[in-house]
Amino acid sequence: MLTAVECPQKVALRVALGRVLAQDVLSTADVPAHDNSAMDGYAVSARDLPASGTRALQVVGSAWAGKPFTATVQPGEAVRIMTGAVVPAGCDAVVMQEQAECDGEQLRIGNGHRPGQNIRRAGEDLSKGQVALARGHRMQPADLGLLASLGISEVHVQRPLRVAFFSTGDELRSIGEPLETGQIYDSNRYTLFGMLTRLGVDIIDMGVVRDKPEAIRDAFVRAAANADCVITSGGVSVGDADYVKQVLDEVGEISFWKIAMKPGRPLAFGRIGAAGFFGLPGNPVAVMVTFYQFVQPALRHMAGETEVTLPQFTVPCLSRLKKRAGRSEFQRGILSRDAQGQWVVRKTGGQGSGVLSSMSSANCFIVLPPQGMEIEPGDPVLVEPFHALV
Ligand code: AMP
Ligand code: MG
């Protein structure tokens, strides 16, 4: 239902970091282009490797990275070779410097070597014409290096998504304004800013919108005109001041409404014109949990990315956890290593959906299934790290 952008742009290699490839990138050459040495040592012919005892060889020259030995090496000869240097014709093994004795031009090697050893084969990294990076891949630091190794200076990437967001709530004030009793600072726009910036989207921060249907309607229309996706926080429950659902019914469409998760219920999802829409809860922790579980994968899909699943794995839990049947829970956890070096998780303190410090000290979610359960210290639990994912 949420369609991916299809708007390729040609950008310089460095600019492509974090962007999603709009085309397959084919390897323009074999990488490495030639068989080359993985070690500093001596290039020899495999026929000269002794099966037992030692063998004396004549060193006839040197091969450097970028400065090859151009003659063909004859039987009984060896060439001093440096890491990265092209393996000379006639040679098909490299003996490590530490495993040879050299006196002037006289080289002595022992047994136990094998043909092909210490040689990086032409094309072992990439062969010419092979898909080096596929369309839909988000460019990582290694990818910049990979394309640089092919001499590719520009790539086609999708344009960044534009995401507009605003907070709803009469109680919300912006930083710098004085607070009266019952008023609070708007923190959701800051966590959203952080999470969206990490995703590499272009951000349109529309500030705080008051709990008035006309104000919310106006903000929706402006947001949808300028963005691929609109995100709000607050105002999606069934309280007297919760107008998001009502207004969305008028100006757009709602796809689903209540989700059996904690924290996070309620959550609105739909469309306003061509733009996708996520109405996140107001509680600061619920905003982050629903963002990571729903908004982030959806935005990555809309940005053109093909692989959007988050890693999850099982580790022993050091804390005692208890949950009722009915909803999946995303408790905040701290993954760390114990004294034996094993990864373990413990929960952060307060798990209330307004306790943002629990998110601040956490580095993962402890994902608990809908069934009721009691976790005893040492029991395995599923964790989902949320740092360093994008
Ligand atoms: P609501 O869903 O609008 O009823 O909000 C639920 C709770 O989250 C209330 O305690 C709100 O004050 C709080 N809240 C809503 N929006 C924000 C925000 N942008 N920053 C901090 N807290 C918020
Ligand atoms: Mg509200």
Side-chain angles (χ1 to χ4, degrees), residues 28-373:
T28 48
D30 284 342
V31 178
H34 305 279
D35 289 358
N36 68 87
S37 180
M39 297 282 176
D40 292 332
Y42 297 90
V44 300
S45 161
R47 282 168 309 180
D48 283 337
L49 294 172
S52 59
T54 63
R55 163 126 208 190
L57 298 170
Q58 172 85 10
V59 178
V60 293
S62 296
W64 310 81
K67 198 164 134 221
F69 179 82
T70 46
T72 300
V73 177
Q74 303 301 321
E77 294 179 347
V79 165
R80 171 93 176 108
I81 193 164
M82 265 45 84
T83 304
V86 173
V87 176
C91 295
D92 45 17
V94 169
V95 175
M96 273 170 76
Q97 184 168 304
E98 295 81 349
Q99 294 174 350
E101 280 169 37
C102 193
D103 182 9
E105 290 171 4
Q106 293 306 307
L107 180 72
R108 185 163 288 281
I109 56 175
N111 55 54
H113 299 288
R114 17 170 216 92
Q117 70 177 23
N118 300 324
I119 292 180
R120 304 191 282 225
R121 291 291 173 197
E124 77 174 19
D125 192 350
L126 290 170
S127 52
K128 186 172 179 182
Q130 182 190 337
V131 175
L133 295 172
R135 172 182 153 91
H137 175 76
R138 188 183 286 267
M139 292 285 288
Q140 305 295 335
D143 306 324
L144 300 187
L146 189 72
L147 298 193
S149 77
L150 292 169
I152 294 173
S153 61
E154 292 180 317
V155 283
H156 287 91
V157 294
Q158 302 290 5
R159 72 159 169 80
L161 281 187
R162 278 187 295 268
V163 178
F165 59 101
F166 59 87
S167 301
T168 67
D170 285 341
E171 75 282 25
L172 302 177
R173 291 292 174 272
S174 293
I175 304 176
E177 290 174 7
L179 291 184
E180 285 167 28
T181 309
Q183 296 180 339
I184 58 172
Y185 287 121
D186 174 7
S187 60
N188 290 343
R189 262 165 57 234
Y190 287 82
T191 46
L192 279 172
F193 164 86
M195 294 186 294
L196 289 167
T197 301
R198 280 265 176 97
L199 273 183
V201 304
D202 285 347
I203 283 168
I204 307 169
D205 182 344
M206 297 178 61
V208 176
V209 174
R210 297 286 156 233
D211 288 320
K212 288 197 180 52
E214 317 79 65
I216 293 175
R217 188 179 304 114
D218 175 59
F220 272 154
V221 172
R222 277 188 296 128
N226 294 306
D228 302 300
C229 189
V230 180
I231 300 174
T232 62
S233 72
V236 286
S237 353
V238 288
D240 290 346
D242 296 333
Y243 298 112
V244 169
K245 181 178 182 299
Q246 173 197 321
V247 172
L248 199 67
D249 272 337
E250 294 166 33
V251 298
E253 53 190 88
I254 287 210
S255 296
F256 64 84
W257 187 232
K258 274 186 184 160
I259 298 187
M261 65 186 283
K262 186 182 170 189
R265 182 173 67 177
L267 170 75
F269 166 54
R271 304 193 69 89
I272 314 165
F277 168 74
F278 286 94
L280 306 184
N283 277 310
V285 177
V287 166
M288 298 196 76
V289 172
T290 51
F291 184 92
Y292 283 126
Q293 296 308 313
F294 297 100
V295 184
Q296 173 163 282
L299 292 180
R300 288 174 65 180
H301 167 74
M302 289 176 75
E305 233 182 313
T306 38
E307 180 53 59
V308 298
T309 44
L310 298 180
Q312 292 186 332
F313 48 91
T314 301
V315 295
C317 182
L318 301 184
S319 313
R320 182 166 280 118
L321 308 179
K322 206 172 168 181
K323 80 173 282 295
R324 283 201 218 120
R327 293 199 268 168
S328 302
E329 276 189 31
F330 294 83
Q331 301 210 359
R332 274 69 70 205
I334 302 170
L335 263 174
S336 65
R337 287 191 195 228
D338 66 12
Q340 285 73 46
Q342 297 299 311
W343 285 98
V344 290
V345 70
R346 64 199 152 89
K347 73 166 185 175
T348 59
Q351 294 285 328
S353 63
V355 184
L356 197 51
S357 60
S358 76
M359 268 315 275
S360 232
S361 49
N363 57 13
C364 69
F365 293 121
I366 302 173
V367 185
L368 301 174
Q371 301 89 294
M373 59 174 60

